[in-house]
Amino acid sequence: MKRFITKRVLSSTNSLRSPRCFSQLAQKQTPLPENEIPVPKLPPFDYSPPPYTGPSAEEILAKRKEYLSPSLFHFFSKPLNVVDGKMQYLFDENGRRYLDGFGGIATVCCGHCHPDVVDAIVKQINRIQHSTVLYLNHAIADFAEALASKMPGNLKVVFFTNSGTEANELAMMIARLYTGCQDIISLRNAYHGNAAATMGATAQSVWKFNVIQSGVHHALNPDPYRGVFGSDGEKYAKDVQDIIDFGTTGHVAGFISEAIQGVGGIIELAPGYLPAAYGSVRKAGGLCISDEVQAGFGRTGNHFWGFETQGVVPDIVTMAKGIGNGIPLGAVVTTPEIAEVLTRRSYFNTFGGNPLCTAAGLAVLKVMEKENLQENALVVGSYLKRRLTELKDKYQIIGDVRGKGLMLGVELVTDRQQKTPAKAETLHVMEQMKELGVLIGKGGFYGNVFRITPPLCFTKEDADFLVDAMDYTISKM
């Protein structure tokens, strides 16, 4: 399936050289005079990478095709060979600099190769890289303490994992063990991972294989842009109660959701949704799980955790990506009472909480506090969103601009009334922005939403360059 999708994506990208594949709306965009929008230029940056002497992009691609899974796919008709990174910038094999507006899929929060994080990793690996949690080491305890200090309420017991998928798998198992129920409620359009339980909680067909995925019910997605109830969160939440009443015994294990859907296209849940949904789930004896893999760690700007934007406190919080700035690290945080269920049997994770990864995680938290990165995400993210919204007013092809802080989405449509996804145009704009030196991601069920999730050290000058590149590209379509 993925190979088929990839071939379609890549063939669509290659076919974009002909304007005939664009929608009529895109072809009718009024081009501005040639001298109206100058070619944007990268902001100055005081770093040059050392010369690269490794294999070329073509050689790497050939090895990938021969030795790696055919399920792997890549952006761009000519794949980018990234060989160096510094803060909010990436460099290719020729030393060309790119503004990273994707952050390794909302993963790099402090910046690429941040010196404080690198220093912590090097010091730890020179001392001891791995032992086992069966022995004592201060790194895991220090990081758990620091992480717990960032959590509200009685959320203070930490289980370390290696990824977001692992964290969500563990959280769902804990909810089922604690309640004695099997039914989990998730949201349509959600993405929570690609293992057995998390694939069940995920609700986009492109990410689901034909394997047994039982015990999960998918509620109506509270999508303010495409949803049937607009921004009325309480109306969407009634579907959660209906699922409990008509699809279960009246008791459930839990409810899992992101506060802002990342893979789903940077969709903020409608205001008031989580308080109402949490109320129904808790009345049915279930636990509320917040998936903070993408929205956590200050990315939304106004809060450290995404769930705080809705004024709720979950029973279990999962996290990964930004927690380690690119180091493979994830975590589940819950209350002492709920955590107790894992003592019924032996629970163990060989690499979860190893000294190297937890030393990196602690360094990330320290950098975020020292450099006020959450505040920067709020200030720069708000500025970037305003500028993107101005582009929406300028171009009919931009149907929606949404998100918080430095987790923003721009949805392209060929018809604002029908909200028809502009798939080919999305690929074209991404491709052309890369040529200008800007890297952004894409997502959403239809693949027509730009995902803008840069490192949190992003500046206003970077924001201007990103928007100017998008402006220039759309004006030339």
Side-chain angles (χ1 to χ4, degrees):
M1 174 66 78
K2 277 190 178 177
R3 181 160 51 180
F4 172 68
I5 294 166
T6 304
K7 287 180 178 177
R8 277 179 45 193
V9 168
L10 294 177
S11 63
S12 297
T13 305
N14 289 328
S15 69
L16 290 176
R17 293 170 185 157
S18 167
R20 286 176 294 181
C21 58
F22 292 145
S23 67
Q24 289 185 353
L25 172 64
Q27 293 182 50
K28 289 179 181 177
Q29 295 281 8
T30 305
L32 296 172
E34 196 67 33
N35 59 359
E36 187 88 10
I37 303 178
V39 178
K41 297 186 184 304
L42 270 166
F45 188 64
D46 188 21
Y47 174 79
S48 296
Y52 174 70
T53 57
S56 67
E58 291 76 14
E59 292 172 304
I60 295 170
L61 188 59
K63 284 186 180 181
R64 273 175 60 132
K65 288 179 178 178
E66 185 170 359
Y67 299 112
L68 294 177
S69 169
S71 66
L72 294 182
F73 56 93
H74 54 75
F75 281 160
F76 313 123
S77 56
K78 184 178 180 182
L80 189 64
N81 182 18
V82 175
V83 303
D84 207 311
K86 180 65 72 173
M87 302 310 286
Q88 66 271 41
Y89 293 103
L90 294 171
F91 299 82
D92 69 12
E93 61 193 275
N94 300 311
R96 183 181 177 184
R97 179 162 56 103
Y98 297 84
L99 178 64
D100 184 6
F102 200 25
I105 316 179
T107 298
V108 179
C109 61
C110 300
H112 294 281
C113 299
H114 190 288
D116 290 7
V117 179
V118 170
D119 184 58
I121 293 170
V122 171
K123 283 180 178 176
Q124 184 59 57
I125 204 167
N126 281 330
R127 195 170 185 92
I128 183 167
Q129 176 182 348
H130 177 76
S131 55
T132 166
V133 291
L134 298 174
Y135 307 138
L136 299 183
N137 187 282
H138 72 90
I140 184 173
D142 291 346
F143 184 39
E145 180 184 32
L147 200 54
S149 72
K150 291 290 186 182
M151 307 302 302
N154 203 30
L155 294 164
K156 61 182 183 182
V157 179
V158 184
F159 300 89
F160 287 111
T161 67
N162 305 288
S163 69
T165 291
E166 277 191 8
N168 284 331
E169 286 276 326
L170 178 57
M172 292 171 68
M173 184 177 76
I174 288 173
R176 284 168 165 156
L177 290 172
Y178 183 79
T179 61
C181 296
Q182 292 300 306
D183 293 288
I184 296 279
I185 300 174
S186 177
L187 294 178
R188 297 177 191 173
N189 197 55
Y191 181 88
H192 295 292
N194 55 13
T198 49
M199 190 179 293
T202 293
Q204 286 194 34
S205 58
V206 69
W207 301 109
K208 295 170 77 73
F209 286 94
N210 186 25
V211 295
I212 295 174
Q213 301 167 41
S214 61
V216 180
H217 309 264
H218 297 104
L220 200 61
N221 195 35
D223 179 351
Y225 181 61
R226 290 185 176 272
V228 292
F229 299 124
S231 296
D232 193 330
E234 292 188 6
K235 285 186 178 179
Y236 290 106
K238 188 179 182 302
D239 191 46
V240 173
Q241 187 62 55
D242 286 346
I243 286 173
I244 293 169
D245 291 341
F246 300 105
T248 74
T249 63
H251 301 280
V252 297
F255 170 84
I256 184 169
S257 74
E258 306 160 88
I260 302 178
Q261 293 177 336
V263 174
I266 315 296
I267 294 176
E268 296 179 72
L269 306 189
Y273 178 77
L274 284 184
Y278 277 23
S280 293
V281 170
R282 284 172 171 154
K283 284 178 184 176
L287 299 182
C288 298
I289 305 168
S290 182
D291 179 341
E292 295 288 327
V293 170
Q294 293 197 36
F297 284 84
R299 182 160 289 281
T300 61
N302 51 359
H303 295 93
F304 197 80
W305 304 108
F307 62 78
E308 294 176 298
T309 64
Q310 293 247 343
V312 296
V313 177
D315 302 296
I316 304 174
V317 180
T318 63
M319 59 200 74
K321 292 188 181 288
I323 190 175
N325 201 52
I327 288 289
L329 179 61
V332 176
V333 184
T334 189
T335 67
E337 179 189 359
I338 296 171
E340 190 71 20
V341 300
L342 288 186
T343 64
R344 297 175 187 173
R345 294 290 188 275
S346 293
Y347 173 77
F348 187 78
N349 189 315
T350 299
F351 298 108
N354 73 80
L356 183 63
C357 292
T358 48
L362 183 58
V364 168
L365 281 184
K366 289 179 178 178
V367 168
M368 290 194 67
E369 292 177 2
K370 183 175 78 171
E371 299 183 1
N372 297 313
L373 292 183
Q374 181 183 332
E375 175 69 16
N376 191 66
L378 175 63
V379 173
V380 176
S382 299
Y383 175 76
L384 176 56
K385 188 176 182 180
R386 282 198 302 272
R387 286 224 52 202
L388 290 169
T389 302
E390 290 169 2
L391 277 194
K392 178 188 170 209
D393 296 336
K394 184 176 181 180
Y395 298 110
Q396 285 289 310
I397 197 169
I398 299 179
D400 195 30
V401 173
R402 53 183 179 255
K404 291 183 183 296
L406 288 173
M407 188 172 183
L408 301 176
V410 178
E411 181 157 355
L412 299 192
V413 295
T414 58
D415 184 307
R416 279 194 177 179
Q417 292 298 113
Q418 299 296 321
K419 300 178 182 175
T420 310
K423 301 177 187 179
E425 292 83 352
T426 301
L427 287 168
H428 173 78
V429 173
M430 275 186 67
E431 192 88 28
Q432 295 306 308
M433 286 181 68
K434 187 258 284 188
E435 294 303 314
L436 292 170
V438 181
L439 306 176
I440 55 177
K442 72 179 184 68
F445 181 76
Y446 303 104
N448 67 317
V449 181
F450 295 131
R451 295 166 65 189
I452 303 173
T453 55
L456 304 189
C457 55
F458 219 60
T459 67
K460 286 187 176 180
E461 290 74 22
D462 296 323
D464 282 332
F465 177 60
L466 186 151
V467 177
D468 290 346
M470 190 177 292
D471 187 6
Y472 180 86
T473 299
I474 296 177
S475 75
K476 303 300 179 190
M477 281 171 57

